[in-house]
Amino acid sequence: MTEENTGGDGSTIDELGRDIEQPLRSLFVRYGRTKQRRLALGLFASVVSRGAGLVTPIVLGTTIDAVFNNEGAYTLPLVPSAWLPSDATSQFWLSALLVGGSLVLVALTAWLRDYMMNDFAHGVMYDIRADSYRKFQELDTVFQEEVDTGEVMSILNNDTTNLERFFDNGLQDMVRIGVMVVGVTGILLHLNYQLAVITLLALPLFIGFTWWFTQAVEPRYAGWRSSVGHLNTRLQNAISGSLLVKTAPAKGYEANRIDNAAKDLYDDAISAIRLSVVYRPGMRFLTGLILFATFVVGGTWVFTGPPGPLTGDLTVGTFVVFMLLTQRLTAPLAKLSDVVDRYENAKASGKRICGLLRAPTYVTENPDAAVLDSIDGHVEFDTVSFAYGTNNPQSSADEPVLADISFTLNPGETVALVGPTGAGKSTIAKLLLRLYDVTSGEIRADGHDIREVTRGSLRESIGYVNQEPFLFDGTVAENIRYGQSQASDEAVRQAARAAQAHEFVENLRDGYGTEVGERGVKLSGGQRQRIALARVFLQDPDVVVLDEATASVDTETELLINRSLTELAEERSTIAIAHRLSTVCDADRILVIEDGEIVERGTHKYLLEEDGLYAMLWRIQTGEMDELPERLERHVATDSVVTR
Ligand SMILES: Nc1ncnc2c1ncn2[C@@H]1O[C@H](COP(=O)(O)OP(=O)(O)OP(=O)(O)O)[C@@H](O)[C@H]1O
């Protein structure tokens, strides 16, 4: 499996993993290598443990014949006769010693096997989980936007659990089956090859039946895993949008959609299970058949001598050993169905995990990228053009969104971006954070092309606050400290004071230790916004990007927040995006964006005098104009894209 760009065939994770022939081997090679010693020890212990388990039935057979029935010599496979005692008492005690010793050996090696194999399996799964998340985090923003959250959750959760089950128990069962088939077959052939052939006659049936099952079930398992992802996506959407679901007019709409996704999952699961319920009992029947055939042929042989074309003697002892060993053979063979079932399920999951791991990235980090220590806040956009599709060839969003954007932000200055909805303002901010790469042109921070500096250091130098700040489930202090875990309590308080948050936080039930709930639901929109601002104050960046930071709060809170925004912008280079022009009329420069282009630029006063789009927007907002001019109506009616 390689991680380089795969290009072409669709964008979903299922599609990316579909052509991988051996996903489990790929994952095993990639993640198991560093844990080879544990695996080797585990496998060795497993072989010894299973082998030692065969000692009891073998010893039992020879003891019955030679010691109790006085029939035949006291022999043991692989042990020269000269080493064995000749009197019955010594033979009996040697048998007792071997049975007791093998019991101890089985217990010790079983412990070593379980310890090593579990350590190996869980270690591999830990690496796969951590890597899958890291990979998802590294993926291009455009790709992340195309993949559903539920889908990724189901890969990180359900698919890895499926794989864990296989690496954990499946591998052990495979070894067990291998040792039993090879070991027991060898012993049976050694004891009485003619009866052994009867016993082993059903083996080709096992193989054929299992082959049929794997071929038939593989696509069904892939469909099942994919349906789990779809249902997760629907559930995730419905749960996070539960307010809309509750208040939307069409009451049963979401429930119906979940119902449909659940029904698809049911259909796919049942279609795979239908095969599995034929296969499993079928395998059990075949194993029973082996036992039955051995019992009937062997029993007749002991009673009346060799049946049919068979020749020679079969002693009671050998017959007992045959039955005991055949049981040891059929029990793991019956389990083969579980292993194959688990393997096929894990294979389908493995494909999805590999799909995620091989997802191509286009916004990549230059290996020689410099670390941006601290910048003096000088930012330049130089003839920047952008289309979302260029960051992901599979994307259909290939229309240009920005064209020839050029402007300079000098240290300490505030540049405001205003303009109709969909004009491209937020896209400009996201390009500066390198969430996407420009299609052409260049963005420079302190003279460095931002593609030539590490993304981490670039983003550390830029504080970003948007309209819907995200809070994690945790305390107020943890949220302010997010990403800066070393910050002292005093620094957190100071940041909260600067963000006008300290007072309300102190009044919460547990002050800074108050739990904010998932996504901060226990706080109001304005409170969440101030916590997010405190986070940026603590970060103390050189450049601040405020994307509609006050859009979702009431006028009183806006006044409070504006006070802290002014403080935040002081001595820092600031890009402020706003619809409410009153919040940016003091900016050093205002850029008016329309259809992805800068159509006007200047100070508030200058732009009013120019009497262009800005003046039009201003008059509407101040109530001087109450009819929407045609130029603006067009923007509301259509989604703006660059038209030339
Ligand atoms: N992830 C995306 N993939 C594809 N197209 C996008 C994406 N995000 C935004 N767009 C498109 O890019 C254009 C500019 O969007 P952007 O969010 O930059 O506008 P905006 O000026 O910030 O709008 P608003 O003022 O409404 O926030 C719009 O046509 C939008 O549909």
Side-chain angles (χ1 to χ4, degrees):
M1 182 182 55
T2 56
E3 243 189 86
E4 70 255 16
N5 293 359
T6 52
D9 61 334
S11 61
T12 68
I13 290 170
D14 276 333
E15 278 165 0
L16 284 166
R18 194 159 292 153
D19 64 328
I20 300 172
E21 288 291 327
Q22 302 282 348
L24 297 181
R25 205 180 64 188
S26 299
L27 290 169
F28 189 83
V29 168
R30 182 163 166 177
Y31 294 97
R33 278 229 171 100
T34 52
K35 299 165 187 64
Q36 266 173 356
R37 273 184 50 191
R38 267 174 274 176
L39 177 66
L41 252 176
L43 291 180
F44 173 73
S46 186
V47 172
V48 175
S49 163
R50 301 299 175 193
L54 297 177
V55 170
T56 302
I58 294 167
V59 169
L60 207 63
T62 199
T63 311
I64 292 173
D65 283 345
V67 180
F68 301 134
N69 284 351
N70 222 355
E71 206 181 306
Y74 183 84
T75 56
L76 291 171
L78 307 177
V79 183
S81 306
W83 294 7
L84 298 172
S86 49
D87 66 297
T89 313
S90 306
Q91 286 171 349
F92 172 78
W93 285 113
L94 176 64
S95 294
L97 193 73
L98 283 173
V99 170
S102 70
L103 282 181
V104 175
L105 189 63
V106 166
L108 286 179
T109 47
W111 166 79
L112 186 66
R113 174 199 66 203
D114 288 350
Y115 184 85
M116 288 298 160
M117 294 299 279
N118 274 296
D119 201 39
F120 168 80
H122 288 275
V124 167
M125 289 321 299
Y126 165 78
D127 288 350
I128 291 179
R129 281 201 177 96
D131 237 25
S132 307
Y133 175 70
R134 213 171 292 131
K135 173 70 192 189
F136 177 71
Q137 194 55 33
E138 271 171 20
L139 283 174
D140 297 337
T141 316
V142 168
F143 189 93
Q144 289 177 340
E145 286 162 350
E146 294 225 341
V147 178
D148 298 316
T149 326
E151 187 84 6
V152 177
M153 286 299 289
S154 92
I155 290 177
L156 295 178
N157 204 354
N158 307 50
D159 288 320
T160 46
T161 305
N162 258 342
L163 218 58
E164 188 174 281
R165 272 194 209 124
F166 174 71
F167 279 147
D168 195 356
N169 302 319
L171 271 184
Q172 284 205 47
D173 285 339
M174 275 168 103
V175 173
R176 183 174 163 210
I177 293 167
V179 172
M180 288 302 168
V181 169
V182 174
V184 172
T185 306
I187 297 169
L188 291 184
L189 286 169
H190 169 80
L191 287 174
N192 185 324
Y193 77 93
Q194 294 181 6
L195 185 57
V197 169
I198 307 280
T199 304
L200 300 173
L201 224 50
L203 269 187
L205 277 179
F206 269 92
I207 294 165
F209 193 38
T210 302
W211 186 84
W212 163 79
F213 175 70
T214 55
Q215 298 301 306
V217 88
E218 192 174 321
R220 301 191 189 196
Y221 272 134
W224 186 353
R225 304 271 36 100
S226 181
S227 296
V228 171
H230 290 149
L231 178 62
N232 273 359
T233 302
R234 278 264 65 84
L235 286 172
Q236 203 271 339
N237 265 282
I239 292 167
S240 43
S242 65
L243 193 62
L244 171 65
V245 174
K246 274 201 181 109
T247 53
K251 282 288 167 253
Y253 179 64
E254 196 56 43
N256 277 342
R257 294 214 288 182
I258 302 267
D259 222 61
N260 288 341
K263 178 72 172 57
D264 287 344
L265 171 58
Y266 168 84
D267 289 342
D268 285 336
I270 285 294
S271 136
I273 288 168
R274 233 174 246 144
L275 286 184
S276 158
V277 293
V278 171
Y279 176 62
R280 282 163 179 254
M283 288 293 274
R284 288 208 157 73
F285 176 74
L286 283 178
T287 54
L289 208 62
I290 291 182
L291 215 59
F292 178 71
T294 309
F295 179 74
V296 171
V297 177
T300 319
W301 198 331
V302 171
F303 266 141
T304 58
L310 304 176
T311 55
D313 286 337
L314 182 68
T315 61
V316 177
T318 310
F319 179 54
V320 169
V321 175
F322 243 90
M323 286 314 292
L324 287 176
L325 287 179
T326 305
Q327 233 177 356
R328 299 256 168 147
L329 179 71
T330 53
L333 275 181
K335 271 216 146 197
L336 183 66
S337 56
D338 292 346
V339 178
V340 171
D341 211 18
R342 222 175 277 154
Y343 170 79
E344 286 301 328
N345 212 337
K347 196 169 160 191
S349 288
K351 281 193 176 193
R352 285 157 58 79
I353 294 173
C354 288
L356 174 66
L357 289 173
R358 71 170 2 195
T361 44
Y362 299 94
V363 182
T364 50
E365 184 121 308
N366 180 346
D368 302 320
V371 175
L372 207 54
D373 274 340
S374 100
I375 60 172
D376 62 17
H378 194 269
V379 172
E380 280 170 280
F381 273 64
D382 187 354
T383 51
V384 167
S385 297
F386 177 70
Y388 278 92
T390 48
N391 274 231
N392 180 0
Q394 279 108 45
S395 163
S396 52
D398 50 5
E399 295 150 330
V401 173
L402 296 174
D404 289 337
I405 300 288
S406 293
F407 69 92
T408 304
L409 175 66
N410 292 313
E413 270 188 352
T414 295
V415 165
L417 305 180
V418 303
T421 181
K425 305 178 294 291
S426 299
T427 306
I428 292 177
K430 288 174 184 165
L431 286 176
L432 175 59
L433 285 153
R434 226 188 141 209
L435 295 176
Y436 313 101
D437 264 349
V438 297
T439 306
S440 66
E442 199 172 287
I443 302 173
R444 290 184 286 271
D446 274 7
H448 302 279
D449 182 335
I450 60 169
R451 285 168 295 194
E452 300 304 323
V453 297
T454 63
R455 278 174 293 187
S457 66
L458 174 75
R459 290 170 192 167
E460 267 168 36
S461 308
I462 302 171
Y464 177 62
V465 186
N466 67 7
Q467 207 181 125
E468 291 158 12
F470 189 87
L471 299 195
F472 281 96
D473 193 10
T475 66
V476 171
E478 281 164 0
N479 270 288
I480 296 179
R481 217 180 245 127
Y482 185 77
Q484 296 153 97
S485 51
Q486 310 300 329
S488 68
D489 288 349
E490 189 40 41
V492 168
R493 276 162 202 278
Q494 253 180 15
R497 271 193 201 100
Q500 310 287 330
H502 179 69
E503 265 185 37
F504 94 76
V505 173
E506 286 283 50
N507 284 331
L508 293 174
R509 211 170 62 152
D510 296 316
Y512 283 86
T514 307
E515 293 285 338
V516 300
E518 201 178 0
R519 285 172 285 119
V521 285
K522 293 182 188 167
L523 299 179
S524 74
Q527 289 172 332
R528 280 201 292 272
Q529 191 60 282
R530 278 178 280 166
I531 301 278
L533 276 173
R535 205 183 265 164
V536 178
F537 271 106
L538 192 64
Q539 180 188 351
D540 193 18
D542 307 292
V543 178
V544 179
V545 176
L546 307 169
D547 189 352
E548 304 269 5
T550 56
S552 58
V553 296
D554 59 77
T555 332
E556 300 87 75
T557 317
E558 186 182 351
L559 271 177
L560 267 181
I561 292 179
N562 273 338
R563 223 183 286 162
S564 56
L565 288 181
T566 312
E567 193 169 327
L568 188 64
E570 226 161 73
E571 294 173 21
R572 281 177 235 263
S573 310
T574 305
I575 293 181
I577 299 171
H579 277 135
R580 261 180 267 177
L581 302 184
S582 58
T583 57
V584 291
C585 52
D586 289 334
D588 295 291
R589 228 160 319 121
I590 297 169
L591 309 181
V592 186
I593 319 285
E594 185 181 31
D595 293 341
E597 292 177 72
I598 302 178
V599 290
E600 290 168 30
R601 63 176 84 205
T603 59
H604 171 70
K605 191 161 167 280
Y606 171 81
L607 291 173
L608 285 187
E609 282 166 11
E610 283 293 292
D611 201 20
L613 179 59
Y614 181 83
M616 203 182 280
L617 290 166
W618 178 260
R619 282 202 291 275
I620 290 169
Q621 291 193 4
T622 52
E624 283 172 45
M625 191 188 266
D626 45 17
E627 279 280 309
L628 203 58
E630 201 210 317
R631 184 172 179 183
L632 290 178
E633 231 171 57
R634 177 171 67 83
H635 292 297
V636 179
T638 61
D639 221 11
S640 296
V641 287
V642 178
T643 45
R644 58 177 201 177

